[in-house]
Amino acid sequence: MAKTAKTIYVCSDCGAQAPKWAGQCSDCGAWNTLQESVAASANNAPSRYGGYAGDDDAAQIRNLADVVAERTERVPTGMAELDRVLGGGLVTGSVVLIGGDPGIGKSTLLVQALALLAERKPALYVSGEESAEQISLRAQRLGLPVERLRLLTETCVERILALVAKERPRVLVLDSIQTFYTEALQSAPGSVAQVRESAARLVRFAKQSGTSLFLVGHVTKEGALAGPRVLEHMVDTVLYFEGESGGPFRLVRAIKNRFGAVNELGVFAMTDKGLREVSNPSAIFLSRHERQVPGSCVLVTREGTRPLLVEVQALVDQSPLANPRRVALGLEQNRLSMLLAVLHRHGGVGMFDQDVFLNVVGGVRVTEPAADLPVLLATLSSFRDRPLPGDLATFGEVGLAGEIRPVPNGQERLREAAKHGFKRVIVPQANAPKKGLDGVDVIAVSRIGEAIDAL
Ligand code: TYD
Ligand code: MG
């Protein structure tokens, strides 16, 4: 009897299947889109149903009211900043993907967290990248309690699962998903098909056994391809390392979290003793100048559930180019172009012959519109070469009609600014407190012209 084909090739554009690889998809004509994949036969089709539903033929439709939800059990990892991004501790049976550039500190963070977790729960660290000696050396250097931390160096998913079934850890770290392979596929470890299928098997195991799983994934330059992006929909929580690997600070952001707030930010400092938690991050993102310099403005932003003070810097310079440059680091470039148009139309300040560069200090990425007003003020300050007062902080969204719109959690932002000694805060009218705030001059504005006049 002919052996049934186990692997097929699926077009990533149109989903057409082919028994053999080819450079071009015969259905939609796209080039280089055929990728190896496991054929979905009757007993091998879990991924069609979400990956970990199991082979449960008896699934039934029920009333939501009849479903008894067990309380999700949360285990503190022993690192408060990691707990914060996880939404208040590690949920039993959850799968967490940690992504980031190579060398940014993923292994360091997980070894530290796992060593602390191992004191309370059976924990296993599976490494496909480093040797047992390397991991041991690092753990010793970091002065971690390693008596109860178990270690395995292996890259075959089937063998890992067989060993894990015997060992029965409650927390499992797999470092990194790009090095693991499943015997079901022929393609090399790190290829999209391998990464996806290996992860699917591990996720299914985690859900069935109630083991908490940390998956490490490198983001390669080509990101989308061999990177962990293909896994994001399979896992419960996605954490990414942000910030420059050259600097001392490491930001871990929750991109997706089924058990907590998204966009939550954990702040660490890389030291010779590993990653240290930074519990008051506002203090580190403000570069305190001796003298106030033009083009700098302090923004009160919100990362997840916590307000954060960051400095926005702008440089406006006469442009030699026909199309002046608009460069924004840590902020959205299109937003900058829009704000410059608003500033021209409603504020009467044109910068069409100027290069505008923007940067958020410390490698923080700000995606919320509350940065609009600080961006405008910093740009204006640089353009006019006049520094803003050192005790001024601000936040607010700017609309296309030149209006300043309120942003969520205004009171909390104001308190954070007051806590760090800011004496003047420019806020949207609707965010101004009714009774005022002790020791802080709250300047409420509703139009962009008022904000400019307030300076
Ligand atoms: P690592 O966790 O191995 O990175 P990843 O797993 O994300 O690839 O981190 C390695 C980097 O961290 C390396 O450049 C050295 C630095 N580091 C320190 O500065 N201090 C330390 O105590 C440790 C363990 C690493
Ligand atoms: Mg590593």
Side-chain angles (χ1 to χ4, degrees), residues 86 90 96 98 110 117 171-174 212-216:
L86 290 173
L90 182 61
V96 181
I98 298 195
L110 288 179
L117 269 168
V171 188
L172 188 60
V173 169
L174 292 137
S212 304
L213 198 68
F214 282 102
L215 289 175
V216 176

Side-chain angles (χ1 to χ4, degrees), residues 98-112 125 129-130 138-139 141-142 175-176 216-218 241 245 250 270-275:
I98 298 195
D101 296 332
I104 196 131
K106 301 179 294 296
S107 307
T108 309
L109 177 67
L110 288 179
V111 166
Q112 283 184 250
Y125 189 96
E129 286 192 347
E130 293 164 290
R138 175 187 301 174
R141 205 160 51 74
L142 299 182
D175 187 2
S176 67
V216 176
H218 294 293
F241 268 89
S245 58
R250 300 286 187 275
M270 183 61 95
T271 67
D272 56 348
K273 283 266 172 285
L275 287 164

